[in-house]
Amino acid sequence: MISEKIKSQIGGEMVIRAMFEKGIKMKQEFGADNVFDFSLGNPNVPAPDAVRDSIVDIITNTAPQKVHSYMPNAGFPEVRKAVADHLNSRYGTGYTPDNIIMTAGAGSAINLVLKSILDAGDEVICLAPYFAEYKGYIQNYYADVVEVGPMDDGSFYPDCEKLAAAITPKTKAVMVDTPNNPTGVVYPEPVIKEIAAVLKAKEQEFGTVIYLISDEPYREIVYIEHEGELPWLPDYYDDTVVTYSYSKALSLPGERIGEVIVPDAADGSKELIGAITTCNLLTGTVNAPSLMQLVLARCLDEKADVGFYRKNAELLYEIVTEAGFEALKPQGAFYLWMKAPDGDDNAFTDMAAKHKILVVPGSAFAGPGYVRLSFCVAHDMIERSRQAFMDLGAEYK
Ligand code: PLP
């Protein structure tokens, strides 16, 4: 018998996977070219050549004992140094290898941080709509998810007044994800400053520590014009911990590689780094995949082809708006957030599936009334989906 807790989680968080599997079945039934699958954020841009060249070179020319062995739970020291140096040159920070813990992707990074800071009954705030798995991750540690809705001006920026009202003495962390999954919105600097100001004020009011967990798998995938780098959140709020992933940045999601960055300024940073490292062991992950650590240390300046995603974003936005739908123009990540015309995202998802368009209902992200379309797909699939969107739009006219 599986546990009651897992039973309750299987329905909700698994919606995206369920859509993905539905897509596989529909493709078998109708033919792959006749199904327009926008369900899963699985990058379809190939990893940069440097990644494959590094894999070949490392397995050919590095001693197998080095490539395939255990190493310290936080990762290879030289890889953590390479990551720290890279961040220092980008953000003018002064990180050392001690501030970096290599992880099996962002999913593991977030779990390690949560496991390190949460006791049963603690609260973690998620800024809705948010990445569906956060909920399950938080519940893994018997903590409570507190959802805070966005501004009601259609910007999908967090509503900082509501955020302030939701913080209690039990609030241990706030999850922030910009560029955002599922909305494709990038928070500008004033929004980051506002979040930081709210958290600082609440830490003072309650005499507690509230970590800002900045989950950044889409940091490199940005379409809007901005000057230089996106804001680096630890510059705005000391108790920030960054969870990062190479899944999207280097198109390597199956390889499971990412990191946690705990700056010295974060409260109890040394203990936190120790706890996160131990949790790598306690969760049974032990360490981030060794070959991938060595690979990414050589590929830190590489990026997936953002131009490809930008073209997809533009084409999909053009098609859905032409079909009469209201949508947010993607600013980053690879998601388009579209309004369900009659406000019922589940019914709209079913109607879209009848036209062989697979989307994920916004309710799965605590964003009812909208659906998410993931456009990390072949450009020609988007082009071929045009008529299906026109037909779907006609259903609502
Ligand atoms: N966080 C967000 C916002 C994501 O969208 C994803 C994956 O889609 C993850 C974390 C997990 O990424 P990873 O593959 O690095 O575990």
Side-chain angles (χ1 to χ4, degrees):
M1 280 282 278
I2 62 169
S3 84
E4 292 305 317
K5 182 155 151 257
I6 282 297
K7 263 189 217 162
S8 70
Q9 289 179 333
I10 286 173
E13 277 76 25
M14 300 304 148
V15 172
I16 304 173
R17 285 269 152 195
M19 290 307 294
F20 179 61
E21 272 150 37
K22 184 172 179 166
I24 294 173
K25 280 199 193 123
M26 283 176 71
K27 282 172 205 165
Q28 282 163 354
E29 195 179 339
F30 302 111
D33 283 355
N34 301 315
V35 178
F36 311 110
D37 188 352
F38 296 97
S39 64
L40 196 67
N42 205 359
N44 69 328
V45 171
D49 287 346
V51 169
R52 273 183 285 155
D53 294 348
S54 303
I55 293 172
V56 172
D57 185 51
I58 291 167
I59 57 174
T60 312
N61 296 315
T62 309
Q65 296 91 321
K66 164 88 183 177
V67 182
H68 303 302
S69 296
Y70 289 129
M71 83 294 299
N73 297 118
F76 288 116
E78 71 273 22
V79 172
R80 291 156 58 211
K81 179 170 185 329
V83 171
D85 290 348
H86 174 80
L87 292 168
N88 293 341
S89 69
R90 274 176 85 171
Y91 302 113
T93 46
Y95 301 142
T96 70
D98 290 342
N99 298 110
I100 314 293
I101 302 121
M102 304 312 298
T103 65
S108 175
I110 300 163
N111 269 279
L112 298 179
V113 174
L114 294 174
K115 187 171 172 63
S116 300
I117 62 172
L118 293 178
D119 285 305
D122 284 340
E123 293 170 0
V124 179
I125 294 182
C126 294
L127 303 172
Y130 60 92
F131 177 53
E133 267 117 12
Y134 291 161
K135 192 171 184 181
Y137 295 167
I138 293 161
Q139 290 171 341
N140 279 342
Y141 310 105
Y142 298 89
D144 296 323
V145 177
V146 177
E147 291 172 355
V148 170
M151 301 287 288
D152 55 17
D153 59 1
S155 65
F156 281 90
Y157 296 154
D159 183 328
C160 287
E161 276 181 27
K162 285 192 207 143
L163 172 63
I167 295 174
T168 76
K170 285 186 181 176
T171 307
K172 275 283 178 71
V174 176
M175 302 288 317
V176 169
D177 163 35
T178 169
N180 187 266
N181 175 8
T183 61
V185 166
V186 176
Y187 301 163
E189 191 186 37
V191 170
I192 305 293
K193 283 186 170 162
E194 225 185 322
I195 297 172
V198 167
L199 298 192
K200 274 182 212 161
K202 287 290 168 182
E203 279 192 333
Q204 275 185 354
E205 181 184 337
F206 294 130
T208 53
V209 175
I210 306 168
Y211 290 107
L212 179 64
I213 302 177
S214 182
D215 180 31
E216 310 194 354
Y218 304 99
R219 169 164 284 273
E220 321 304 339
I221 304 173
V222 181
Y223 314 116
I224 52 167
E225 297 307 319
H226 62 98
E227 284 178 22
E229 296 284 354
L230 292 183
W232 179 242
L233 272 63
D235 287 346
Y236 298 83
Y237 181 67
D238 283 348
D239 292 333
T240 301
V241 173
V242 177
T243 55
Y244 186 80
S245 169
Y246 298 88
S247 291
K248 323 283 167 158
L250 293 178
S251 294
L252 292 171
E255 301 291 355
R256 314 307 304 133
I257 185 76
E259 74 226 3
V260 181
I261 301 142
V262 182
D264 289 341
D267 189 87
S269 61
K270 292 245 168 348
E271 292 91 326
L272 184 54
I273 291 162
I276 293 170
T277 306
T278 304
C279 286
N280 232 343
L281 193 65
L282 296 180
T283 53
T285 305
V286 182
N287 56 252
S290 51
L291 173 59
M292 282 305 127
Q293 290 190 47
L294 299 172
V295 168
L296 83 88
R298 297 180 181 198
C299 299
L300 289 164
D301 292 324
E302 299 289 331
K303 261 194 208 178
D305 184 355
V306 178
F308 172 92
Y309 292 129
R310 182 193 297 271
K311 273 197 221 144
N312 278 3
E314 283 167 2
L315 179 61
L316 186 59
Y317 182 74
E318 177 208 303
I319 290 175
V320 300
T321 48
E322 198 184 311
F325 296 108
E326 227 181 281
L328 258 67
K329 192 159 195 195
Q331 300 170 354
F334 33 59
Y335 304 106
L336 183 138
W337 190 238
M338 183 165 102
K339 210 168 186 171
D342 59 4
D344 183 342
D345 51 303
N346 288 308
F348 182 58
T349 300
D350 290 343
M351 181 61 86
K354 284 199 182 125
H355 291 272
K356 306 195 178 64
I357 299 170
L358 297 180
V359 301
V360 180
S363 303
F365 309 95
Y370 284 77
V371 295
R372 188 195 77 172
L373 282 74
S374 181
F375 55 80
C376 46
V377 296
H379 193 71
D380 75 299
M381 188 199 90
I382 303 180
E383 191 58 71
R384 280 185 287 107
S385 70
R386 191 182 286 269
Q387 190 55 49
F389 276 108
M390 296 306 151
D391 296 343
L392 179 61
E395 299 267 8
Y396 291 90
K397 277 187 184 134

